[in-house]
Amino acid sequence: MTDTTFLADKMRSGKPVVTSWCFLRSAMIPEILARAGYDAVTIDMQHGMYDFDATVDAFTHIALGGAHRIARIPVGDNALAGRLIDMGAECIIAPMINSRADAEAFARSLKYPPLGDRSWSPRRAVMLTGQSNEEYLKASNAQTIGLAMVETQDAIDALDDILSVPELDGIFVGPSDLSLSLSNGAALDPNGAATAEACARIAEKARAAGKLAGIFCLSGEKVEEAVSMGYQLISHGIDTLFVDGAARNALGEVSWLKDRVEGKTGAGY
């Protein structure tokens, strides 16, 4: 880390935190994104190519790059959530949390007693945070953030119950899956008006409950909208899109070369 401020402190201060999102399994990509200036880097273990070992390696490189460490776990894998916290994750995002029972089981997997059921062995977390065992035990429940994803109509219907779980730190909205659920599978419309209205209501309820709120954004305009709604954790920027966009831009800069090769210009090299 480049400073001693924890992700939890930044988010609870009300300052928006911007995280990039990583699908591609490579320790260097998260480090590059961290060094580029992102506040945090999120490793996607649900839809991305990361397994446990690759995620642990990525945490080291994220820390080396000076950013905070976030991971999204596969659906329902609360045992993995606890292991990732032991390995230095500062925030865990859990997909498809649709009930109070889902939220409670997830949240308790991240916290030590009396708030949860997490067992003791934070060897790597202690190293990455620079704390002693005693300091870590005292502070880790507050420093460790668990965000339950709200991305279905069932989750919206149960939102008050989900937000009432005292051990849960907050929620994270997935607009793409949310739009699929709201339309009953008829449309993928993460930037649509109906999705935006739902996101605004979710943020309002989270704030009223004293919980943190995060969201996935697909454009700069959506980032501005999310901040105005009161979201504290904003995901903007995906490694696969970075690579694809940069490659297309680079090829566009030399598009004239293809014309020459195909003899369209009539000019030599």
Side-chain angles (χ1 to χ4, degrees):
M1 299 293 297
T2 55
D3 57 51
T4 57
T5 303
F6 291 89
L7 176 62
D9 297 328
K10 290 183 179 180
M11 290 180 62
R12 292 187 178 118
S13 74
K15 174 186 175 182
V17 173
V18 180
T19 180
S20 57
W21 204 271
C22 286
F23 290 101
L24 301 175
R25 176 175 172 163
S26 167
M28 283 190 66
I29 291 176
E31 182 178 340
I32 289 170
L33 295 172
R35 291 185 182 278
Y38 273 100
D39 300 310
V41 179
T42 300
I43 303 301
D44 193 340
M45 301 181 74
Q46 181 191 13
H47 294 303
M49 298 171 65
Y50 284 89
D51 59 13
F52 178 76
D53 290 344
T55 300
V56 173
D57 287 343
F59 286 165
T60 301
H61 283 260
I62 293 168
L64 185 63
H68 297 286
R69 303 168 298 279
I70 303 174
R72 177 165 70 171
I73 59 173
V75 176
D77 201 339
N78 294 331
L80 176 61
R83 292 186 72 195
L84 293 173
I85 293 295
D86 284 346
M87 292 297 124
E90 296 179 73
C91 173
I92 299 294
I93 299 171
M96 295 295 172
I97 300 295
N98 292 322
S99 68
R100 178 186 170 89
D102 290 345
E104 187 173 31
F106 163 62
R108 290 187 63 84
S109 73
L110 306 180
K111 309 291 185 179
Y112 291 122
L115 297 181
D117 310 308
R118 181 182 170 196
S119 61
W120 179 261
S121 189
R123 309 302 178 198
R124 187 57 172 156
V126 167
M127 293 173 65
L128 289 178
T129 59
Q131 297 171 292
S132 67
N133 286 341
E134 292 75 16
E135 290 169 334
Y136 184 84
L137 177 59
K138 182 178 180 180
S140 61
N141 278 352
Q143 290 172 356
T144 300
I145 294 176
L147 301 180
M149 289 198 74
V150 176
E151 50 188 342
T152 66
Q153 184 64 58
D154 287 344
I156 291 177
D157 294 342
L159 186 56
D160 290 337
D161 289 338
I162 290 170
L163 292 170
S164 71
V165 174
E167 302 90 350
L168 184 69
D169 298 290
I171 54 89
F172 191 93
V173 178
S176 293
D177 278 318
L178 184 60
S179 71
L180 281 175
S181 182
L182 293 175
S183 68
N184 197 29
L188 180 64
D189 191 18
N191 296 325
T195 308
E197 291 173 7
C199 291
R201 292 195 301 271
I202 293 166
E204 182 179 7
K205 285 198 170 189
R207 291 198 308 272
K211 301 293 187 179
L212 300 171
I215 190 169
F216 198 101
C217 294
L218 294 170
S219 69
E221 291 77 10
K222 282 297 177 180
V223 170
E224 186 174 1
E225 180 180 272
V227 171
S228 70
M229 291 177 180
Y231 285 94
Q232 295 102 342
L233 179 64
I234 312 293
S235 174
H236 179 54
I238 308 170
D239 59 357
T240 52
L241 297 183
F242 288 145
V243 174
D244 179 75
R248 292 178 186 275
N249 287 337
L251 286 172
E253 291 173 350
V254 294
S255 60
W256 54 268
L257 184 59
K258 182 178 180 181
D259 292 338
R260 285 193 179 183
V261 170
E262 294 178 351
K264 293 181 180 181
T265 65
Y269 289 104

